[in-house]
Amino acid sequence: MTSDAPRPPPRRRFFGAFGRRELKGLFWQVLVVGIAVAVVAFLWSNTVTNLSARRITTGFAFLGREAGMPIADSLLAYSPKDTYLWAFVVGIANTLRVAVIGIVLATILGTLIGISRLSANWLLSRLAAVYVETLRDIPLLLQLLFWYVLMQALPAARTAWRPVEGVFLSNRGLILPAVPVGPPQLSVLGTAALGCVVLYVIRRWLVTQQMRDGRPRPAWPFAMTLLIALPAVVSVLLGVSWTIEWPELRGFNFVGGLTLAPEYFALLIALVTYTSAFIAEIVRSGIQSVPRGQWDAANALGLRRSFMLRQIILPQALRVIVPPMTSQYLNLTKNSSLAVAIGYQDVVSIANTTLNQTGQAIEAIALIMAVFLTISLGISFFMNWYNARIALVER
Amino acid sequence: MTAITDIPDAPRAARRPQIGNPVLRWLRTNLFSSIPNGILTVVLLAVLGKGVISFVQWGIANAVWLTPANDSSACRAVRGLGACWAIVPEKYRFILFGTYPFDEQWRPALSVLLFIALFYLSTRRALWRRELVFLWIGALALISVLMWGGVLGLSFVSQDRWGGLPVTLILATFGLAFGFPLGILVALGRRSKLPAIRSLSVLYVELIRGVPLVSLLFMASVMFPLFMPSGFNIDKLLRAQIAIILFAGAYLAEVIRGGLQAVPRGQYEAADALGLSYWRKNRLIILPQAIRHVIPPLVNTFIAFFKDTSLVLIIGIFDLLTTAKTAIIDPAWQQFSVEVYIFVAAIYFVFCFAMSRYSRSLEAHSGAR
């Protein structure tokens, strides 16, 4: 083609500055959104027709009615005369009870096993590897049913196992000695909690002071005062008793102490062991991601081992560990919904009973989804905040 | 806490003079490198020994392996002392195939073998070509014919009589076969420049990943009939399958999105410079690279997903775990559920362990490149 050949005139644009590309984009968006809206409208109209044909009322009015379902194991006071709304709240509390304690225990166990996998002791690292491989490759629901069957196969209350004095393991669950916690004890614990908040503020102030002149200011005198001395003083002034209540067998059942029902205990064991296998792998890869030079450098400086781990290795490993750990916490929380399979009354199980009693499927499932979406968002919000705090600040 | 291998102590230990009996040397470096380590080894050996001995006593020495049909008296005699493996030969056909007509059970058995062959061929790198897609379509069609029958002289077996291992494999395989393209579309949608498509994709992924699979299954089992026009009834298995496909799609989309992010910008620019259309660009240039990047995490997602199909137990579909749970309702054998669970756990373990080994070998392979 020669350069002096007449150029074709620029193509006329259809809508002024609006090009072909934009038009195409608009077309696709209208198409996809149109399909989505059409599908939702189709489902919606079917649902409305079906609901009126089956005479199912909609709306959340049923939440105010008497639930009439028994809840065997709950933190909050509940009787079958309470409303569905309160039953849901009790269910949410039960879900959180399993999820929060499960997350704490799974993190501890998973970290121990992850470190064991890196141990110089061949036997320990092999055992940890077998633990991880086995638990990861068997469905959680199967493990849960397995633990539940084992719990039921335990001896009856009269012949309960006593691994340690005051601890009973029977088909009624695990019974532990406990300190009864009422309003007086709670006020002391509240003082300590308040102390934590104050301590956090003080520590930040101390750190900014140190940043200014470089003089280290220890935080431990404040910690001792706020977390130990102050609660102790409050406890003595109010005359709060901290006596341990020992469970004992009277007749056919246990009196006193803290009872972990078999359903709760089985669910907790299954969630903790299963999740710990995944956490172990995360911890292992996190530690291995710290370059060898960092260990060498810390050793060369002659740092103490605990200091080296705390100040040099862990902060770097955590950057790799925290994001996948968030998904494990979310998984554990979502997996707690398997409680429905063994009859531990978490929010899913209670919603399921409600659904069967009232027929209000849409509302019950919407409630489950709302609860879990809220919990998921809460956990990821917190973990993202934590992640942003520990993230590597690069220039 | 014990010492960690990955610190400079380890190579120093390895550099010790290589003298003496190699077995003793191995013991010294790996089990008794220091006094605390030695104590740990002894304690672990004691615990392990006790565990192994009691398992051997229960699972092998005192176990009952075979009993006359429908007679569990021999098992009840050793209850608490020994395992009752006799329940496995007694119930294995029900556990593996559910209520599928007894004389026709060679059909689900053959389907299971076909599935395994299909998985095996899909792991061969040499076969990763377009023909593999046709192989999948052909094999899945053949499996449908085998399971349903009604043609080629095979008697018709309706879906509600299916059960056991074939159902688990069907839920997992069809879930992947449909969830994978769905995941690709959603992953592309999430990275699209078009705001409406992007927000729809984000909404879909976050909504599905934010709630437990149990609630999706409940939705499929109780709400789906409400969504459909009256008189239009979808089988329970198919409803669960749809929930599982939607679930798989959301999780796979996130993995594939990771792969898309790993494709260098230059590849997109080069494709644009060639004047390729959006779909041709993705199909020929971007997606092959993106998927190659994320094969190990994809396999891990497959494993998680294979295990999660067991949740259909909660809405009463007869997969492998449900048939196992049903098999032990029989009053004569009720007390021997642990043995059945171990048997089923072994089946799941074989599948998942094979996949995880494969994922490990792929990772090693891509690391070597």
Side-chain angles (χ1 to χ4, degrees), chain A residues 21-22 24-26 28-29 32-33 36 42-44 46-51 54 56 112 115-125 127 133-142 145-146 149-150 153 274 278 281 284 287-288 290 292 295-296 299 305 308-309 331 333-335 337-338 340-341 348-349 352 355-356 359 361-363 365-366 368-370 372-373 376, chain B residues 1-12 26 29-33 36-38 40-41 44-45 48 79 193-197 200 206-216 218-219 222-223 225-230 251 272 277-279 303-304 306-308 310-314 321 325 328 337-338 341-342 344-346 348-350 352-354 356-357 360:
Chain A
R21 183 178 282 263
E22 282 82 358
K24 231 170 150 182
L26 191 70
W28 279 108
Q29 297 196 64
V32 170
V33 173
F42 172 73
L43 299 180
W44 183 261
N46 284 332
T47 312
V48 171
T49 325
N50 285 325
L51 286 177
R54 295 178 200 190
I56 302 174
L112 288 179
I115 295 175
S116 302
R117 275 203 80 171
L118 294 171
S119 165
N121 189 311
W122 182 86
L123 191 60
L124 184 62
S125 71
L127 282 177
E133 287 291 351
T134 317
L135 288 175
R136 279 202 316 180
D137 287 344
I138 295 171
L140 174 59
L141 184 55
L142 178 52
L145 293 174
F146 182 82
V149 163
L150 282 191
Y274 183 76
F278 290 87
E281 284 298 277
R284 177 178 69 98
I287 292 176
Q288 281 180 330
V290 178
R292 231 193 149 83
W295 296 94
D296 293 337
N299 268 345
R305 214 190 147 68
M308 174 171 110
L309 275 175
N331 282 347
T333 310
K334 282 188 285 170
N335 284 337
S337 62
L338 294 184
V340 72
V348 175
S349 167
N352 193 30
L355 188 160
N356 290 331
I362 299 178
E363 291 82 359
I365 290 171
I368 300 180
M369 294 190 158
F372 277 96
L373 281 176
S376 299
Chain B
M1 196 35 52
T2 62
I4 290 170
T5 7
D6 231 15
I7 56 170
D9 287 11
R12 214 176 296 147
W26 185 89
T29 45
N30 290 305
L31 294 179
F32 299 97
S33 57
N37 237 337
L40 183 69
T41 303
L44 283 176
L45 275 179
L48 188 67
R79 185 165 154 63
K193 289 194 193 72
L194 311 172
I197 291 180
L200 271 181
E206 297 302 331
L207 217 57
I208 301 267
R209 280 161 36 103
V211 300
L213 178 55
V214 173
S215 66
L216 291 179
F218 275 144
M219 205 158 135
V222 290
M223 275 164 79
L226 291 177
F227 288 160
M228 287 292 122
S230 56
Y251 278 78
D272 285 336
S277 75
Y278 177 79
W279 294 110
I303 298 175
F306 183 79
K307 286 183 296 175
D308 280 345
S310 62
L311 264 62
V312 296
L313 176 134
I314 286 166
L321 187 54
K325 206 170 174 248
I328 45 188
S337 30
V338 169
Y341 285 143
I342 291 178
V344 172
Y348 275 107
F349 182 82
V350 167
C352 295
F353 190 69
S356 91
R357 277 288 109 147
R360 201 72 57 80

Side-chain angles (χ1 to χ4, degrees), chain B residues 174-176 178-179 182 204 240-250 305:
Chain B
F174 280 85
L176 287 178
F178 289 92
L182 178 66
Y204 166 71
Q241 182 75 75
I242 292 172
I244 279 180
I245 290 170
L246 291 177
F247 174 79
F305 178 69

